[in-house]
Amino acid sequence: MDRLEAMSILVAVDEGGSLTEASKKLKIPLATVSRKISEIESYLEVKLLIRSTRSIEFTDTGRSYLVYCRRILDDIQEAERAVTGEYTSPKGHLTITAPMVFGRLFIAPLVTDFLKVYPDVDVQLTLTDRSLDLLEDKIDLALRMGELKSSNLVALRIGTIRFVTCGAPDYLKQFGYPKIPQDLSQHKCINISVLGSPTKWHFPSKQSKLVVPIHSRLDVSAPEAGLEAAALGAGITRALSYQVASYKKDKRLEIILQDFEPEPWPVHLIHPAGRIVPLKLRAFLDFVSPRLRAELNHITKLMK
């Protein structure tokens, strides 16, 4: 039994959604597709696919095996390209994920520039504040904020971000500048739900976390809405430094309570380890890493 052929068939079934589509893509008889799958299931002594007259789906075991199949086939392809001298220009499909606001502000423009330089690379950019699983979700590269859990992922640190408290200059002049976090209980507050609670905000202290009760006049789900409301004088809010940067630059918001901020959060680009790094990914990392470092350094200086 040719296990690599069987792996290729399984990947084609997943991509095509059926044995018939896999047969068409690989240009082999449908009966051969079915037989090869049965052979690999017998060899592994597990059920990989659940077949019916109308649909086909992978079992949990099959889905896990499929992840390894893709990695093995990708490694073989990259090795062949390396030894045959095909590394003259990056080619292929690149899947990237990043947090929603950061991705929109920084990653999407860089991807657009990258595509102009590398016409043979296609990119799928998923912007979400959920942490996708790189292997299960077939992600080549992810941008992550905060401390990383130990894993088998390669991490490239590109800078830091801060979690800041801010308000509009006119609001602060009218209602006063908070000197300590406890002063916030006397202020109107705007809570961004993905970043905090509408009833209490946490600040670091020497002993433990300081919990400050607040009155959230406005609770929003999107950082842009909360920051715009704060810039219009509706109250004090908290957000990440890159989200606040343009408001700070235009002097629509001022940073307050700097001495009570948590430690800056590291920002990393991460990708799977234990494999040859495809040229398309290396090219993207080389293209975006210095640019993202420069952006984050600029934001750090701007927020002082």
Side-chain angles (χ1 to χ4, degrees), residues 274-302:
R275 55 179 295 185
I276 300 170
V277 179
L279 179 61
K280 59 187 179 183
L281 178 54
R282 291 212 307 269
F284 188 79
L285 285 169
D286 291 344
F287 187 88
V288 304
S289 297
R291 291 166 173 80
L292 286 175
R293 284 196 181 96
E295 290 282 5
L296 290 171
N297 286 336
H298 174 70
I299 290 170
T300 298
K301 294 176 181 178
L302 179 65

Side-chain angles (χ1 to χ4, degrees), residues 37-61:
I37 292 174
S38 296
E39 287 177 358
I40 193 69
E41 288 180 325
S42 296
Y43 175 80
L44 296 172
E45 297 182 347
V46 296
K47 195 72 173 174
L48 299 175
L49 296 173
I50 300 174
R51 312 183 213 187
S52 69
T53 55
R54 294 187 177 181
S55 65
I56 187 167
E57 65 178 271
F58 283 82
T59 63
D60 290 342
T61 301

Side-chain angles (χ1 to χ4, degrees), residues 139-240:
I139 304 294
D140 294 305
L141 183 70
L143 186 137
R144 294 279 167 83
M145 300 174 184
E147 295 296 336
L148 296 174
K149 298 178 182 178
S150 58
S151 68
N152 62 341
L153 299 174
V154 177
L156 175 66
R157 182 164 171 151
I158 56 172
T160 60
I161 58 171
R162 290 162 51 196
F163 188 33
V164 302
T165 308
C166 55
D170 289 345
Y171 172 89
L172 295 170
K173 289 175 183 177
Q174 181 178 355
F175 296 100
Y177 285 76
K179 293 183 173 57
I180 58 175
Q182 291 89 331
D183 291 342
L184 292 172
S185 61
Q186 305 302 316
H187 281 267
K188 303 171 186 177
C189 292
I190 302 165
N191 185 64
I192 300 170
S193 58
V194 294
L195 297 173
S197 161
T199 59
K200 54 189 176 183
W201 285 350
H202 295 263
F203 292 83
S205 68
K206 293 182 180 179
Q207 287 76 26
S208 60
K209 283 187 178 180
L210 177 63
V211 180
V212 178
I214 63 162
H215 177 202
S216 180
R217 296 292 312 282
L218 176 62
D219 187 36
V220 299
S221 60
E224 295 94 332
L227 290 167
E228 189 62 27
L232 293 172
I236 291 172
T237 193
R238 302 180 85 191
L240 300 175

